[in-house]
Amino acid sequence: MSKLEDFLRDEGNVFPGKTYVEELLKHVFNDQRDFLFDVMFDIQRAHVIMLKEQQIIKPDEAILMLKGINKVAETDKNLLSYHPQYEDLFFMIEAKIGDEIGEELAGKIHIGRSRNDMGVAMYRLVLREHLLEFLKNTYRLSEVLLNQAERHTVTYITAYTHTQPAQPTTLAHYFLAIFDVLQRDLRRIWFAYETVNQSPLGAAALTTTGFPISRLRTCELLGFDKVIENSYDSIGGADYLLETSTALMTCMVNSGRWIQDFLMQVTREFGAFKVADPYVQVSSIMPQKRNPVSIEHSRSIASSAYGDALTAINMIHNTPFGDIVDTEDDLQPHLYRPSRMETV
């Protein structure tokens, strides 16, 4: 038997092939389970409520649908794993809801909705939460900088130009400069949040639906600020990812500069800053050392976050303007990581 025949026998002759499962589908499923599980049910509930209010489904049907959705939502997601019977988590959850309320009723939940607009809505809802967490941490850092500035209005330091001692100033002056840059970073993140927090629901696959749905109602129920007006844009537009990426990259570059300053200031030669004991590491052979590893990790994490955001931009570059996997499950975790980064 030839190597090709061996390969084909090992891979199988129906979708999905063994390599496709092991190297892609299992990883995608795990990411969907870890990041999208909860918001998937939020969208299901909002859609059913809207269908009932629009009189597209009957009230008693809506009640049964919501009971089934809520029952499946109680599943311990950590117990879920990829199964070749389902292409991804979306189809697995649909099947589980069907098991609870029957396939016909479960099918009605999908009236006027596509996996396309549901998928983009899930991505936006999850990214919205990560951005809010990032904003919270950035405001905490801002508060710390203000507190430290207030404590050090007469703490004199050397200011540098071209890495050479230049003029005397105060530590408060220096901290407030970082604070001001951080406030501009905050504005950029808020602008990105406004772009992210828009509803694509109702666009269906691309060109909306003939059912008399209410895009405004699902938008309201899910806490989006507004509906994306053009249905093609709802599915094809990926600039919400680009805007988030560029805002995160700018913030990480800005942060990396003062983190590098901090690392210099804690050296024995400079000795201007001292890292608290819980955040230094001792040497295995040199007991006199206080290694500022927390600052080192901060610098590397900022660089890693920048890299993840840049990866997202590169994944979108030169992709067709429409529904395409490049902007979907493979890309999304690259933005969750930097926006989830704890601000030090």
Side-chain angles (χ1 to χ4, degrees):
M1 187 174 290
S2 69
K3 290 183 178 179
L4 176 59
E5 290 173 326
D6 286 341
F7 174 79
L8 292 175
R9 183 185 61 185
D10 193 43
E11 285 293 303
N13 54 14
V14 295
F15 180 85
K18 178 183 175 183
T19 299
Y20 193 68
V21 168
E22 294 297 327
E23 302 302 326
L24 183 77
L25 292 183
K26 284 186 177 180
H27 300 289
V28 167
F29 181 93
N30 291 340
D31 283 340
Q32 291 175 334
R33 177 198 63 199
D34 295 343
F35 296 120
L36 305 179
F37 184 83
D38 293 326
V39 297
M40 181 179 292
F41 292 102
D42 291 337
I43 292 171
Q44 300 273 22
R45 296 182 186 102
H47 189 70
V48 168
I49 291 169
M50 179 275 295
L51 291 177
K52 181 263 180 185
E53 292 178 349
Q54 294 296 109
Q55 299 182 359
I56 297 172
I57 59 174
K58 298 175 182 177
D60 59 333
E61 290 179 323
I63 291 171
L64 291 174
M65 289 174 181
L66 290 171
K67 286 182 178 179
I69 290 167
N70 290 337
K71 180 69 179 297
V72 177
E74 294 173 357
T75 303
D76 183 351
K77 67 179 181 180
N78 296 314
L79 300 179
L80 299 177
S81 59
Y82 174 80
H83 193 285
Q85 181 181 352
Y86 312 105
E87 180 181 337
D88 58 16
L89 182 67
F90 173 84
F91 286 113
M92 178 181 284
I93 295 302
E94 280 211 332
K96 287 182 176 295
I97 294 173
D99 291 340
E100 289 293 330
I101 63 176
E103 291 186 6
E104 181 178 353
L105 202 56
K108 286 188 175 183
I109 297 176
H110 209 52
I111 290 174
R113 191 188 69 193
S114 166
R115 189 168 60 155
N116 288 2
D117 61 343
M118 184 177 181
V120 177
M122 287 191 296
Y123 301 144
R124 287 174 177 268
L125 287 171
V126 173
L127 188 55
R128 177 177 77 180
E129 292 306 308
H130 284 292
L131 285 174
L132 289 173
E133 182 68 17
F134 187 85
L135 285 162
K136 182 185 76 173
N137 287 329
T138 307
Y139 279 117
R140 288 173 61 193
L141 176 59
S142 298
E143 184 178 1
V144 169
L145 287 167
L146 287 177
N147 290 338
Q148 289 296 325
E150 187 175 13
R151 292 175 59 187
H152 293 285
T153 56
V154 291
T155 302
Y156 297 101
I157 63 169
T158 302
Y160 290 78
T161 62
H162 302 281
T163 71
Q164 301 301 305
Q167 294 179 333
T169 188
T170 65
L171 195 53
H173 188 199
Y174 175 73
F175 283 151
L176 289 175
I178 297 174
F179 173 86
D180 285 348
V181 173
L182 201 60
Q183 303 321 292
R184 295 194 291 273
D185 286 330
L186 278 165
R187 287 198 294 273
R188 282 182 278 267
I189 297 295
W190 273 119
F191 287 139
Y193 177 88
E194 290 174 9
T195 302
V196 168
N197 198 34
Q198 299 180 31
S199 176
L201 290 171
L206 191 67
T207 57
T208 71
T209 174
F211 289 96
I213 63 170
S214 171
R215 299 190 69 197
L216 289 173
R217 183 57 173 146
T218 50
C219 173
E220 177 185 48
L221 287 168
L222 291 166
F224 287 115
D225 289 331
K226 64 179 182 178
V227 170
I228 302 172
E229 181 180 20
N230 186 292
S231 64
Y232 207 126
D233 179 27
S234 296
I235 305 303
D239 55 304
Y240 76 99
L241 300 169
L242 296 173
E243 191 169 349
T244 299
S245 298
T246 53
L248 290 171
M249 288 167 63
T250 301
C251 185
M252 291 301 100
V253 170
N254 285 335
S255 298
R257 297 183 71 199
W258 57 260
I259 291 172
Q260 172 62 20
D261 268 10
F262 281 21
L263 196 57
M264 178 184 69
Q265 294 290 353
V266 299
T267 61
R268 181 65 63 88
E269 291 77 10
F270 279 80
F273 296 171
K274 182 179 180 180
V275 181
D277 288 345
Y279 303 101
V280 294
Q281 195 172 57
V282 298
S283 168
S284 63
I285 194 173
M286 296 168 283
Q288 81 280 6
K289 293 191 69 185
R290 299 181 79 257
N291 297 325
V293 291
S294 54
I295 301 179
E296 294 171 31
H297 283 302
S298 297
R299 183 172 59 174
S300 64
I301 290 171
S303 297
S304 177
Y306 173 92
D308 270 318
L310 181 59
T311 296
I313 291 176
N314 287 332
M315 291 176 74
I316 300 168
H317 176 62
N318 281 350
T319 59
F321 186 72
D323 176 42
I324 194 79
V325 297
D326 305 59
T327 63
E328 296 172 358
D329 296 310
D330 293 330
L331 178 149
Q332 300 295 323
H334 287 287
L335 286 181
Y336 304 156
R337 282 188 289 269
S339 58
R340 194 170 64 239
M341 189 196 79
E342 289 294 326
T343 306
V344 178

